[in-house]
């Protein structure tokens, strides 16, 4: 099997890249180790930056998002019983975000890929990326019990942290930067309308809490818990009681309760792999970087990566210049490190470390007070939350 671009992984990054390349007249093959049902059901991110929304619309994959997604013009910060709303459009010249689950993005992009007729192989396990430093890289994979080879001009690894693409970059050429946090998020889905029409980020002495949503009738909520927590050891009423404590305000706001349908714990870490390119192998998304979910950046960073690659390859085909392809890693990493910085800032702003001192508690409150009282500080948060420019 042969193609121009071999894409390893059919998450939102790989699927969007296939769509962008199709629009540019560039052939690609997508290999995904899981089956279609798994890809369309795995719960991940739910906040789309303005730039991601714009790209999906331009790629012809935004119709259902615009019909069913929930546009959000701000978030609410809660601390010391207070509520402060950050108005995104007023602070960013009109930018906002969209609440639309990654599962739905994948469904839309899979449908477009099948309409386009481009090869999309589910249950095709990539075994290795070979000859990445030559003009003819290859992906060895197993599909329907048979081992095969995909010969390419370029390979883009969108196969996540545990995938094979990054392993093809020699360790001697890489640098890894990472941080593990001593807490995680206990996340629940609940069949109850959201108790607020925008996301609520709460800093509390008992730990962080987040009120989010998946639809007008389904709430998504999170609690900071110790690292290694077993979600099933938390009873439903215990979860609601703790959420109520952490979201408490000085006014009459009330948290609505409902049936919890799903529980899980998300670990918190920051990770960056440099470089994001080796020869004709390009890394995108979690294959190259991970952010704690506090800043809602993971999916959006992956979108930025594949947009950068698609633009660079299109430029090379139209002009003969490989300058943008050669700059891929540096271009992506500038945006990645800004997102890492913002995600770290939001995490340390809102989460209480297990060994936090009274001094550190007061510093958190002082930082939140600064955002609530300074338009400059508030603007910095709003600009980062709604998204850094691509490229």
């Amino acid at each position: 099997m042969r193609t121009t671009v071999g894409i390893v992984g059919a998450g939102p990054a790989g699927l969007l890249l296939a769509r962008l390349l199709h629009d540019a007249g560039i052939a690609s093959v997508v290999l995904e180790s899981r089956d279609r049902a798994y890809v369309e059901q795995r719960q991940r991110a739910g906040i789309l930056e303005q730039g991601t929304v714009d790209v999906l619309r331009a790629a012809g994959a935004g119709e259902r998002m615009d019909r069913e997604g929930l546009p959000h013009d701000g978030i609410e910060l809660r601390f010391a019983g207070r509520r402060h709303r950050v108005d995104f459009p007023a602070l960013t010249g009109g930018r906002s975000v969209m609440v639309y689950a990654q599962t739905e993005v994948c469904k839309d992009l899979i449908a477009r890929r099948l309409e386009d007729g481009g090869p999309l192989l589910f249950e095709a396990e990539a075994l290795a990326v070979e000859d990445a430093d030559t003009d003819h890289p290859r992906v060895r994979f197993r599909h329907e019990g048979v081992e095969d080879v995909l010969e390419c001009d370029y390979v883009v690894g969108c196969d996540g942290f545990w995938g094979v693409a990054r392993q093809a970059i020699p360790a001697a050429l890489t640098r890894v930067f990472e941080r593990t946090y001593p807490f995680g998020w206990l996340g629940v889905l609940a069949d109850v309308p959201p108790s607020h029409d925008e996301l609520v980020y709460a800093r509390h002495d008992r730990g962080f809490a987040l009120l989010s949503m998946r639809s007008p009738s389904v709430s998504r909520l999170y609690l900071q818990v110790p690292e290694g927590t077993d979600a099933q050891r938390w009873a439903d009423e215990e979860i609601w009681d703790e959420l109520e404590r952490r979201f408490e305000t000085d006014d009459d706001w009330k948290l609505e309760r409902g049936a919890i349908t799903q529980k899980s714990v998300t670990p918190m870490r920051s990770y960056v792999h440099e470089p994001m390119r080796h020869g004709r192998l390009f890394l995108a998304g979690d294959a190259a970087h991970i952010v704690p979910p506090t800043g809602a950046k993971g999916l959006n960073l992956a979108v930025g990566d594949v947009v950068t690659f698609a633009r660079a390859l299109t430029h090379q085909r139209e002009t003969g210049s490989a300058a943008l392809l050669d700059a891929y890693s540096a271009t992506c990493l500038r945006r990645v490190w800004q997102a890492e910085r913002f995600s770290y800032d939001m995490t340390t702003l809102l989460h209480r470390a297990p060994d936090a001192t009274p001094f550190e508690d007061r510093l958190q409150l002082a930082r939140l007070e600064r955002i609530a009282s300074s338009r400059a500080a508030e603007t910095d948060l709003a600009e980062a939350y709604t998204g850094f420019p691509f490229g």
Side-chain angles (χ1 to χ4, degrees):
M1 187 181 298
R2 198 182 194 304
T3 191
T4 303
V5 180
I7 301 171
V8 185
L15 292 165
L16 177 59
L17 177 58
R19 177 62 188 169
L20 296 174
L21 295 176
H22 175 271
D23 287 347
I26 300 172
S28 67
V29 172
V30 183
L31 305 176
E32 168 56 47
S33 63
R34 303 284 192 162
D35 61 27
R36 179 176 177 179
Y38 180 89
V39 173
E40 293 186 338
Q41 293 170 11
R42 55 186 168 193
Q43 293 291 331
R44 292 291 190 272
I47 308 297
L48 308 183
E49 296 174 353
Q50 182 71 65
T52 296
V53 170
D54 294 342
V55 167
L56 289 172
R57 286 172 178 158
E63 180 181 350
R64 194 163 68 92
M65 173 189 69
D66 285 328
R67 186 171 67 249
E68 300 178 11
L70 305 174
H72 279 209
D73 287 339
I75 59 172
E76 183 173 288
L77 300 175
R78 291 192 185 179
F79 58 100
R82 293 179 50 192
R83 303 170 62 181
H84 176 77
R85 180 175 185 268
V86 179
D87 185 333
F88 292 155
L91 296 163
T92 64
R95 296 169 66 82
S96 60
V97 298
M98 178 82 74
V99 175
Y100 191 62
Q102 174 174 315
T103 51
E104 307 310 309
V105 173
C106 286
K107 290 175 186 176
D108 296 341
L109 289 169
I110 287 171
R112 289 313 310 260
R113 180 65 172 176
L114 296 177
E115 290 172 11
D116 294 340
L120 170 54
L121 277 61
F122 291 104
E123 298 181 86
E125 179 189 6
L127 304 174
V129 177
E130 300 173 339
D131 301 328
D133 56 350
T134 73
D135 291 343
H136 302 288
R138 308 150 33 101
V139 182
R140 282 197 301 108
F141 68 99
R142 184 183 296 113
H143 185 234
E144 298 180 344
V146 178
E147 191 167 317
D148 203 346
V149 173
L150 177 62
E151 297 181 351
C152 322
D153 295 328
Y154 305 91
V155 175
V156 181
C158 305
D159 52 344
F161 182 78
W162 301 107
V164 302
R166 190 176 66 251
Q167 299 173 22
I169 302 180
L173 303 180
T174 69
R175 295 188 68 192
V176 169
F177 306 85
E178 58 186 328
R179 179 187 180 95
T180 301
Y181 300 86
F183 42 75
W185 279 10
L186 169 62
V188 301
L189 278 176
D191 286 337
V192 60
S195 300
H196 194 60
D197 56 2
E198 294 178 333
L199 274 69
V200 177
Y201 289 77
R203 185 271 173 202
H204 193 277
D205 286 343
R206 296 177 64 89
F208 168 77
L210 171 62
L211 186 158
S212 183
M213 62 282 293
R214 283 294 178 261
S215 74
S217 61
V218 177
S219 293
R220 183 73 161 153
L221 304 113
Y222 298 93
L223 285 170
Q224 176 188 344
V225 293
E227 182 184 18
T229 292
D230 179 358
Q232 302 311 314
R233 298 190 67 175
W234 279 71
D236 291 4
E237 286 307 305
E238 185 181 10
I239 292 172
W240 286 116
D241 289 346
E242 190 62 26
L243 286 165
E244 203 164 73
R245 291 188 194 99
R246 298 189 193 184
F247 285 125
E248 183 180 16
T249 63
D250 293 336
D251 57 20
D252 58 357
W253 182 87
K254 186 176 184 297
L255 177 67
E256 300 296 333
R257 302 188 179 204
I260 291 177
T261 60
Q262 185 183 111
K263 303 176 191 175
S264 62
V265 171
T266 301
M268 306 279 282
R269 64 186 306 217
S270 301
Y271 174 91
V272 179
H273 179 283
E274 295 186 3
M276 290 176 57
R277 176 202 179 179
H278 173 59
R280 292 201 171 195
L281 168 64
F282 299 77
L283 303 181
D286 286 0
H289 42 73
I290 294 173
V291 289
T294 326
K297 287 284 165 276
L299 182 153
N300 297 290
L301 276 182
V303 169
D305 294 343
V306 299
V307 167
T308 300
F309 176 80
R311 287 176 177 172
L313 185 56
T314 301
H315 178 77
Q316 191 270 340
R317 287 170 67 90
E318 292 176 347
T319 68
S321 170
L324 296 186
L325 284 172
D326 292 341
Y328 171 82
S329 183
T331 301
C332 290
L333 285 169
R334 281 194 293 272
R335 188 167 182 268
V336 166
W337 276 112
Q338 286 302 316
E340 291 282 355
R341 186 269 307 168
F342 175 68
S343 299
Y344 174 83
D345 285 351
M346 287 286 283
T347 300
T348 57
L349 173 70
L350 296 163
H351 293 74
R352 192 172 192 275
D355 58 351
T357 65
F359 179 81
E360 290 165 327
D361 289 337
R362 288 301 183 95
L363 280 183
Q364 281 186 318
L365 293 173
R367 291 167 65 191
L368 286 159
E369 290 279 4
R370 175 65 177 168
I371 293 168
S373 61
S374 165
R375 186 176 179 87
E378 194 179 26
T379 298
D380 184 61
L381 188 155
E383 288 180 344
Y385 197 100
T386 55
F388 301 104
F390 297 149

